[in-house]
């Protein structure tokens, strides 16, 4: 892999990075104005930067196609449907705030798997914004970095994502979950009790229609909110499921998932704060069942992976994490047991289904 100096003929002047994340609980709640509880993972995207005196951006990523350096001029950002869109989205969003900066040379490396639901896109956006903040330097707080990352992805990339991923990458850390109210952006760091350790098993399953299904679910939630007479499903009182249950199917099921999931995030946050593992585990399994039955974003193979986790003595709770239709399962394990438990669960599931799982957390492979 070429070093920065080999690519650009001079050393970088700034290095910055940002982590991927796993969402502990609170799925498909972010675009409904609700609550989420992500945790940063020990996998990061790193950027190296050197400033330029013109308006040119040159960018290279180890994850990019081939070994080519991509180039564009600031102010001419336009979607090209490749990884450079994330870089252009960031410079466009940053320029729209009125901040002044020149071009730069950029090298990106990462051990956050791309497209596995661990938010490699937000890790890239936040790492780049941190790098640009240090390079020029710019006054930007961490919450604004998260907002700009989301804007980059919404506007130039064209993905209608909520703000959870960018907030987690910008404010999260590995031993604290981030309780986030996605409407107000009020957040609270919730230390993970020392009795637990997280694991993430990647099913390796990717679904060609996942982003189409995501749009359908978003639209269903918006229609449900309109029929219920609320701005967003977040506004339905937690105990008030009678109106939800009278919605025409499948809007009743979709809204029921969101409303009960918001309540589960609040309950899981309280359980974590109390160190009450007896309450935490069932909330994760209930979240999975709700994604499977009401939101219908699971797959039989993913359900089997969660069941394999449930059968493991060192797993306290497990659920599908991320948008669905494949991706990763998050396991809450007894402290010190996560690596072993994840390996056992992955092996049992591979044997049962013939799948090719990868343990992403704890990080056992070497640096990349
Ligand atoms: P994820 O769940 O990993 O965030 P997304 O589809 O949201 O999946 O984002 C993945 C896309 O982000 C990749 O296809 C690529 O365009 C871009 N990306 C993420 N990480 C990198 C990286 N290290 N280098 C280049 N592009 C990246
Ligand atoms: Mg993403």
């Amino acid at each position: 892999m070429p070093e920065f100096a080999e690519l650009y003929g001079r050393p970088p002047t700034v290095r910055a990075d940002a982590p991927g994340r796993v969402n502990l609980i609170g799925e498909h709640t972010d675009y409904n104005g609700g609550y989420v509880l992500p945790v940063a993972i020990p996998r990061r995207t790193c950027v190296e930067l050197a400033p330029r005196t013109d308006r040119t951006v040159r960018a290279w990523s180890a994850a990019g196609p081939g070994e080519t350096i991509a180039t564009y001029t600031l102010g001419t950002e336009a979607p090209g449907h490749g990884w450079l869109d994330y870089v252009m989205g960031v410079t466009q969003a940053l320029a729209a705030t009125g901040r002044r900066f020149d071009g730069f040379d950029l090298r990106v490396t990462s051990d956050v798997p791309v497209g596995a639901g661990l938010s490699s896109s937000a890790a890239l956006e936040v790492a780049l914004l941190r790098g640009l903040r240090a390079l020029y330097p710019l006054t930007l707080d961490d919450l604004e970095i998260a907002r700009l990352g989301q804007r980059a992805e919404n506007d130039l990339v064209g993905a209608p994502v909520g703000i959870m991923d960018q907030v987690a990458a910008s404010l999260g850390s590995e031993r604290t979950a981030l309780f986030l109210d996605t409407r107000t952006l009020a957040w609270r760091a919730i230390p993970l009790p020392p009795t637990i350790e997280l694991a993430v098993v990647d099913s390796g399953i990717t679904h060609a229609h996942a982003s189409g299904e995501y749009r359908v679910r978003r639209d269903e939630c918006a229609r449900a909110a309109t029929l219920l007479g609320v701005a967003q499903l977040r506004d339905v009182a937690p105990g008030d499921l009678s109106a939800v249950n009278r919605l025409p199917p499948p809007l009743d099921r979709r809204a029921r998932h969101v409303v009960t999931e918001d309540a589960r995030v609040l309950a899981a946050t309280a359980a974590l704060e109390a160190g009450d593992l007896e309450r935490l585990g069932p909330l994760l399994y209930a979240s999975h069942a709700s994604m499977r039955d009401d939101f219908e974003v699971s797959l039989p193979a993913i359900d089997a992976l969660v069941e394999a986790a449930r059968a493991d003595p060192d797993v306290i709770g497990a659920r599908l994490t991320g948008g669905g239709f494949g991706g990763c399962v998050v396991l809450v394990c007894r402290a010190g047991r996560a690596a072993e438990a994840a390996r056992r669960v992955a092996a049992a599931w591979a044997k049962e289904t013939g799948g090719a799982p990868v343990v992403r957390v704890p990080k056992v492979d070497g640096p990349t």
Side-chain angles (χ1 to χ4, degrees), residues 56-344:
T56 300
V57 174
R58 295 194 292 176
W60 181 92
S61 170
E67 296 278 290
T68 53
I69 295 174
T71 300
Y72 69 98
T73 304
L74 293 173
T76 67
E77 290 89 346
H81 307 291
W83 79 274
L84 196 65
D85 286 7
Y86 293 81
V87 177
M88 291 193 284
V90 162
T91 56
Q92 185 181 63
L94 193 56
T97 68
R99 270 134 175 135
R100 304 174 70 87
F101 53 95
D102 279 323
F104 52 89
D105 291 339
L106 166 69
R107 176 179 182 267
V108 182
T109 53
S110 179
D111 63 2
V112 184
V114 165
L118 300 177
S119 200
S120 67
S121 59
L124 173 59
E125 292 147 13
V126 171
L128 178 57
L129 283 157
R130 285 177 172 170
L132 292 173
R133 173 170 66 183
L135 189 66
Y136 275 105
L138 305 169
T139 310
L140 276 175
D141 68 31
D142 292 340
L143 206 52
E144 189 172 11
I145 281 189
R147 281 207 185 91
L148 291 174
Q150 184 198 20
R151 194 161 308 147
E153 201 151 333
N154 288 170
D155 293 353
L156 199 120
V157 176
V161 293
I163 197 163
M164 166 172 68
D165 296 351
Q166 290 79 10
V167 168
S170 187
L171 300 167
S173 75
E174 286 168 35
R175 281 308 303 178
T176 53
L178 206 74
F179 171 79
L180 172 69
D181 180 329
T182 61
R183 173 179 289 170
T184 64
L185 298 189
W187 60 277
R188 212 162 79 236
I190 314 288
L192 297 181
T195 45
I196 68 168
E197 190 183 353
L198 302 187
V200 177
V201 179
D202 187 345
S203 70
I205 299 171
T206 53
H207 192 291
H209 304 302
S211 65
E213 294 282 357
Y214 180 85
R215 284 167 203 268
V216 170
R217 293 300 181 284
R218 275 189 81 122
D219 181 53
E220 288 168 342
C221 288
R223 276 160 49 213
T226 303
L227 289 175
L228 291 167
V230 293
Q232 288 180 296
L233 290 177
R234 141 78 180 272
D235 297 310
V236 178
D240 187 16
L241 283 175
S242 51
V244 166
N245 291 334
R246 285 196 299 273
L247 288 169
L251 303 187
D252 54 346
R253 301 197 295 280
R254 305 297 186 252
R256 190 161 59 227
H257 165 73
V258 174
V259 172
T260 58
E261 185 77 350
D262 272 335
R264 281 186 292 270
V265 178
L266 296 175
T269 302
L272 278 178
E273 285 179 320
D276 187 347
L277 308 187
E278 302 288 316
R279 274 197 291 154
L280 185 63
L283 288 165
L284 266 78
Y285 292 123
S287 169
H288 183 78
S290 180
M291 287 174 81
R292 180 190 63 208
D293 302 334
D294 278 345
F295 220 62
E296 297 180 275
V297 291
S298 190
L299 298 170
I302 299 289
D303 300 337
L305 184 51
V306 170
E307 289 312 310
R310 196 198 297 265
D312 193 280
D314 286 326
V315 175
I316 294 159
R319 55 179 286 278
L320 167 61
T321 183
F325 304 105
C328 294
V329 167
V330 60
L331 320 181
V332 175
C333 306
R334 296 184 204 291
R337 310 280 180 84
E340 275 302 305
R343 211 177 355 249
R344 278 196 304 266

